[in-house]
Amino acid sequence: MNKNIIDKIWEAHQIHCEKGAPDVFFIDLQFLHEVTSPQAFEVLRQNNWKLFNHKRNFATIDHSIPTDKSRSAWEDTAAKFQVETLKKNCKEFEVTLFDCGSGNQGIVHVIGPELGLTQPGKTIVCGDSHTSTHGAFGALAFGIGTTQISHVMATQTLLLEKPKTMQVMFKGTPSKYFTPKDAILALINQIGIQGGTGYAIEFCGEYIQNLSMDGRMTICNMSIECGAKFGLISPDETTFQYLEGRQFVLDDFEIAKTHWKQWKSDEKAYYDTVVEVNIDGTAPFVTWGTNPEQSVQIHENIPSPEDFKDPAKQLACKKALEYTQLKSGNPIEGTPIDYVFIGSCTNSRMEDFKAVAQIIKGKKIHPNITAYFVPGSETIRAQCVNEGFDKIFKEAGADFRYSGCSMCLAMNGDHVPEGKRCASTSNRNFVGRQGTGSFTHLMSPEMAAICAISGKITDPKKYFNTPQNQ
Amino acid sequence: MKDFSLFTSKTICLPQKDIDTDLIIPAEFLKTTTKEGLGKHVFCNLRKTDSNFPKFNGPRILVTGKNFGCGSSREHAPWALKDANIDVIIASEFADIFKGNAEKNGILPIILTEKTVQKFLTSGEDLSIDLKNKTVKDSENTFYSFEITDFAQKRLLENLSDMDFLMKFSTEIRRFDTKQKR
């Protein structure tokens, strides 16, 4: 039988299989951060277990770190203690920590690829559901809980059942302002937030092959938003070029490349399920509800519960609209916005900020808008400064901050106040996600940048058709 | 560790589908460095806006809508539920990461048909759980079978950890680690 990349990576990491038990599965690389690791380190200490291989574990600080300039001037003693605990644990167990100010700190799913730690064919875990981001490189990467983190620390393995496999094929040529963020929102809208539960997804098709690594990471990042723990893309020349010369690509590049090339799906490989997403002529997406499936194309109207066949979806629509205070039948376009957040492990990379800078250059942020632009890593911030984007953002009136998860999950103090509405490039629009009583509209960085100028949800096509914005 | 072999309990009913882990325990409570004491914050945002929200004051069984535990991988969600006395969660579907995390913390996720779950949600009746025989019994003495692998069943009944199994392979793992590229 012709194999897909998921089967190949899986088989290459099975250490032991027996009937009636999950596989003993080897993990090449574990990323750690301050929020989900302290209890795992504590388990090691309590049981007197050693860290199996400290060279397969890397840590950074991202979730609870302030994103203002001072960084350490914290009033939140709990968050401060959590960060100090990570530093202490990394020292004790000899784990490399990419600390603030090291030049390499950032959101864990941004720095892994940036440093060249993320490579094709690797199995990668982290105590964070967006770990599938690393799948963009043809790695089998997935989020785990803290108990499993301790198992990987102590044994470099996990007990795992193999997931089913799903091929997602994007077909057609989308409209001009359609971005990778819109492609993944289109899939989630089609199959629902539980449509990928139990599956590992391989994203395929010409649309995917033509994307940069930054775009591919945005797509793999949100696999979990349709329930899939794993989402990946077979590596190709784009992948190899990205990795060339990166710090942790230790082998001779040509040797490494030969090794990486084995990780791709065979022609006519078998998948348990195949899903086609028709993106031909499709416009950018924006969410209207309280989960990432509840979205429409920018020119469409906010749905009403009757538009759904499934009674459960009708109820979900009703409840979501009650929360987001939007009216069925109204266009989503024109909805006034209070906050704009450009950042998160979904959209905080150089390509995102290039697109944003191009739109913002010479413009002013709308007076009603508070704009947070939060780069994914210290490296990206430095690159932005190098390109002069910091000046462009400052002159426009946006707050260009320091790297971290920030307003995506609002646990570091950066949050959207109660009753305020945010245009956000992050991955979740759950009730209260960006702050108690706040409303989130997920969208691409391009659309969010346009919202920052117009003060309302705006169709990029109409915006760019206005002479002064061309 | 509570006995899983057979017990009867009142139920807590949350009919909403797609309850995410942000709702179970919001991010503001993730600044802790221990597993303890999260039970008092479970569903705190829902509790704030709904004065009739059920109290987690004794019942060991939670019955809820499909796709329970979607979103973030935070193990704080099952820690909070366990601390709030929950040992069994019944739904027609669970999110993958949450389900795995729950099982590792002595919570039994039971998958039954949506029709059965809706019946339990409507009646709010007491239920009996028999993990040895893999059944749920309702107040009319009707039995509903559920599936669980022998491995997972044994792990819960005997309070085992994956580590007990993994440790047996330490030599093979060490050998694999040495030949595997970093």
Side-chain angles (χ1 to χ4, degrees), chain A residues 370-387:
Chain A
T370 305
Y372 271 45
F373 293 0
V374 186
S377 68
E378 291 182 343
T379 306
I380 290 169
R381 194 177 201 286
Q383 282 173 2
C384 284
V385 171
N386 214 20
E387 300 270 345

Side-chain angles (χ1 to χ4, degrees), chain B residues 14 63 86 111 122 125 161:
Chain B
L14 298 177
V63 186
I86 296 300
I111 298 172
T122 310
E125 65 203 283
S161 153

Side-chain angles (χ1 to χ4, degrees), chain A residues 286-287 296-302 325-327 330-338 366 368-369 421 423 441 443 447 450-451 454-460 462:
Chain A
V286 55
T287 63
V296 286
Q297 291 178 53
I298 183 67
H299 57 270
E300 293 176 327
N301 292 342
I302 297 158
Q325 300 178 8
L326 295 173
K327 224 175 136 209
N330 281 359
I332 189 77
E333 209 189 329
T335 307
I337 292 290
D338 308 294
H366 192 279
N368 294 351
I369 298 279
R421 196 174 289 282
H441 296 276
M443 60 182 72
M447 199 195 284
I450 294 168
C451 289
S454 65
K456 56 192 181 194
I457 295 180
T458 304
D459 186 345
K462 288 188 190 162

Side-chain angles (χ1 to χ4, degrees), chain A residues 350 354 357 361 381-392:
Chain A
M350 205 48 201
K354 267 187 189 156
K361 193 174 182 181
R381 194 177 201 286
Q383 282 173 2
C384 284
V385 171
N386 214 20
E387 300 270 345
F389 296 168
D390 57 332
K391 290 192 188 74
I392 294 173

